[in-house]
Amino acid sequence: MKGASLVPLVDLDNGTAVTETDMTVRRPQKSKHGNAAEPPGQAYKNDIGRTAPNKNTVTSERKKVKHMNKLQLIDADTLYYKPLAHPKMLIDGVLSDGLAILAGDSKIGKSWMVLWLCLQISRGEAVWGLPTRKTDVVYLALEDREWRVQQRMQELTDSPPENLRFGFSCGRLGTELEGQIEEALREFPSTGLIFIDTLQMVRDNVSAKVNAYAQDYKDLSGLKKLADDHGICIFVVHHTRKERDSSNIFNDMTGSTGILSVADTGMILRKDDRFGDCATLCITGRDVEEKKLKMQMRGVRWEITEALSADDLRKERIPDFVFQVADFLLAHRRFRGTVSQLLAAVGNTELKPNLASKHLTRHYSDVLLPLGITCEYRKTAAARLVLLELHDGADGHADCIDNAFCDHGAQGLGEGYAIVLGKDAATGDFADTGVSTFGLDSA
């Protein structure tokens, strides 16, 4: 304003006067709390010690979200008709491309088995009578020295194959190993099988605070990706724990279930006797059927004495009670009564009625149906009854069930049986209409 005197301002920091010129050219200084040029409320430190976000930060984070990779989806019709390469078998019905794990106790002959497999597959010769796909093989014998592998190879063959290569040291998982495998595949592109003996030799010791499942899954996922990307098999030798799981032999693997979760094929070699020469090789996988091979160490080779297929294994898991019922029906043709009475009829005094019902339900199609035995549960006001009947030449799906009593049922239940069933004395039909489908599991 004209005529008004200019009142100098004083800089409180150093006590000097500030002129109008100084005020016009002086730029705002950035403070430790943010940008002094920002609007009020932006350049302050909040209660928990964080600087409030400015507009640039928010915009930057939005841009990151916008550039996030989209989910790559494929519609069912395209996938259904899309030509795809499937995993190839190295040992027919036993070992396919992907990640495989063989676990067993220490010093029971795993390395002998692996070396023999290397020799057979590299020459395209049969393994336990099964055809193999010939390919170059790499064997990382990390627990052995050259002289020991040489000695074993001399006992197994007189003509070592040129396409079998050995390594006795390598890097660790997650640091060098994956790159070393990539380099080996570039140098020897015909390689289709790589053995790593053993898993622990390529892993770092992990803190107890780390989630074991997550760590196992992470470690093995890198090897599986390599195998899948290159269409090869990476076969890892591992150990089993001292404690045994009688219900699931694959839980014997040292480590968490994350190991078997990643693997495409899992194998457990368990000796019947530590100092004996007999063992069992159990096999499971995504691309192979479950198998149990009875084996014997003859000289320096593992040979099969008995092979159990997936069907055989299913039968092994079926409780004796179901076969007792089948035998009873083949002899008596019919049964009407409660599950408790059925247990008594077949002479089974150990099984509880509710478990017996579950076993009948679960294994009906495996045992009873192929024999032409129909099974039905019928619920009455007094009890739940099981009705079993053998049909000559039937496929197990009869439309009706004969109401005649089997000899055993009549003797066991006596005169009151018709009352329990609600049987109409005039028509001979069941008055109760509460017929339940197969699957009720109570007695």
Side-chain angles (χ1 to χ4, degrees):
M1 184 180 293
K2 290 183 178 181
S5 60
L6 186 63
V7 180
L9 298 177
V10 178
D11 189 334
L12 296 179
D13 289 334
N14 51 28
T16 59
V18 180
T19 65
E20 185 176 3
T21 305
D22 293 328
M23 294 177 64
T24 57
V25 298
R26 187 177 182 182
R27 287 174 170 75
Q29 302 296 313
K30 193 167 185 177
S31 74
K32 64 180 180 179
H33 301 302
N35 193 337
E38 290 174 346
Q42 294 295 322
Y44 69 90
K45 216 170 187 182
N46 62 21
D47 294 301
I48 59 175
R50 295 177 301 177
T51 303
N54 56 39
K55 292 181 180 179
N56 293 335
T57 305
V58 175
T59 305
S60 175
E61 297 210 351
R62 284 177 183 164
K63 287 180 180 178
K64 288 182 183 178
V65 174
K66 288 180 180 179
H67 288 88
M68 184 180 294
N69 291 330
K70 294 175 63 177
L71 287 173
Q72 301 299 314
L73 304 178
I74 183 171
D75 63 85
D77 185 72
T78 301
L79 178 61
Y80 189 91
Y81 293 103
K82 183 178 181 179
L84 295 169
H86 291 266
K88 295 175 290 184
M89 286 289 168
L90 282 163
I91 305 174
D92 191 32
V94 171
L95 181 64
S96 67
D97 289 340
L99 179 65
I101 304 286
L102 167 65
D105 290 342
S106 300
K107 310 297 185 293
I108 64 167
K110 298 189 302 295
S111 295
W112 280 102
M113 178 183 289
V114 167
L115 181 54
W116 181 73
L117 291 175
C118 287
L119 293 167
Q120 297 299 102
I121 295 173
S122 62
R123 293 185 295 218
E125 296 179 358
V127 169
W128 303 315
L130 301 171
T132 63
R133 173 167 56 90
K134 183 178 179 179
T135 185
D136 288 13
V137 179
V138 170
Y139 181 16
L140 299 179
L142 306 177
E143 290 187 335
D144 293 315
R145 296 183 181 181
E146 291 185 11
W147 66 265
R148 182 176 291 119
V149 174
Q150 179 193 63
Q151 185 182 53
R152 290 175 176 173
M153 187 163 49
Q154 288 171 348
E155 293 191 52
L156 286 167
T157 184
D158 295 326
S159 55
E162 295 182 357
N163 60 340
L164 171 58
R165 301 173 180 89
F166 296 93
F168 298 92
S169 65
C170 67
R172 297 281 182 172
L173 272 172
T175 55
E176 294 181 86
L177 180 58
E178 291 86 346
Q180 291 173 332
I181 292 176
E182 293 269 13
E183 181 61 32
L185 293 173
R186 282 191 291 269
E187 187 176 356
F188 305 104
S190 297
T191 301
L193 175 60
I194 298 176
F195 282 94
I196 300 175
D197 187 1
T198 63
L199 176 61
Q200 193 56 42
M201 294 295 290
V202 297
R203 298 183 79 183
D204 287 318
N205 292 325
V206 180
S207 169
K209 296 180 181 180
V210 177
N211 181 279
Y213 183 95
Q215 189 64 44
D216 288 340
Y217 204 98
K218 178 183 176 183
D219 287 347
L220 275 298
S221 292
L223 292 178
K224 174 171 167 55
K225 186 176 187 306
L226 269 176
D228 292 343
D229 289 347
H230 292 277
I232 66 171
C233 174
I234 296 180
F235 193 117
V236 180
V237 182
H238 193 36
H239 293 110
T240 50
R241 64 181 86 247
K242 292 181 179 179
E243 299 80 10
R244 301 297 192 210
D245 188 335
S246 57
S247 63
N248 185 356
I249 191 172
F250 291 97
N251 287 339
D252 291 354
M253 280 190 188
T254 300
S256 73
T257 55
I259 294 177
L260 190 61
S261 298
V262 179
D264 297 290
T265 305
M267 303 181 185
I268 295 284
L269 181 65
R270 180 191 283 181
K271 262 195 171 183
D272 301 339
D273 186 311
R274 175 71 194 184
F275 300 101
D277 56 5
C278 294
T280 302
L281 180 65
C282 296
I283 304 170
T284 189
R286 296 187 176 98
D287 304 303
V288 298
E289 284 192 342
E290 287 188 343
K291 290 180 178 62
K292 182 185 284 188
L293 308 177
K294 302 289 185 180
M295 313 195 79
Q296 184 175 6
M297 190 78 161
R298 292 174 178 166
V300 293
R301 291 178 177 84
W302 283 104
E303 297 181 4
I304 291 179
T305 58
E306 181 185 2
L308 300 179
S309 66
D311 289 337
D312 296 327
L313 293 177
R314 280 193 291 271
K315 291 177 182 177
E316 266 196 356
R317 291 193 293 265
I318 297 173
D320 292 339
F321 166 68
V322 182
F323 294 106
Q324 291 170 347
V325 171
D327 291 339
F328 180 87
L329 266 294
L330 291 173
H332 298 276
R333 302 190 62 82
R334 301 179 182 87
F335 176 84
R336 308 286 194 279
T338 64
V339 175
S340 297
Q341 291 163 338
L342 179 59
L343 285 166
V346 301
N348 191 315
T349 59
E350 299 178 356
L351 199 61
K352 294 182 179 180
N354 61 330
L355 288 178
S357 294
K358 288 183 179 180
H359 292 331
L360 277 179
T361 303
R362 190 168 298 166
H363 302 293
Y364 168 72
S365 59
D366 294 325
V367 179
L368 303 182
L369 181 61
L371 295 174
I373 297 173
T374 56
C375 182
E376 182 182 1
Y377 281 98
R378 190 172 292 242
K379 189 175 181 181
T380 70
R384 182 176 291 133
L385 306 172
V386 58
L387 290 73
L388 298 161
E389 183 170 0
L390 174 66
H391 296 264
D392 291 331
D395 61 0
H397 295 281
D399 295 329
C400 61
I401 298 178
D402 190 350
N403 291 325
F405 298 119
C406 67
D407 294 338
H408 180 86
Q411 293 173 1
L413 295 174
E415 296 179 351
Y417 186 70
I419 299 174
V420 172
L421 279 178
K423 190 175 182 182
D424 191 306
T427 63
D429 295 330
F430 290 102
D432 184 85
T433 58
V435 179
S436 63
T437 58
F438 205 94
L440 291 171
D441 57 10
S442 68

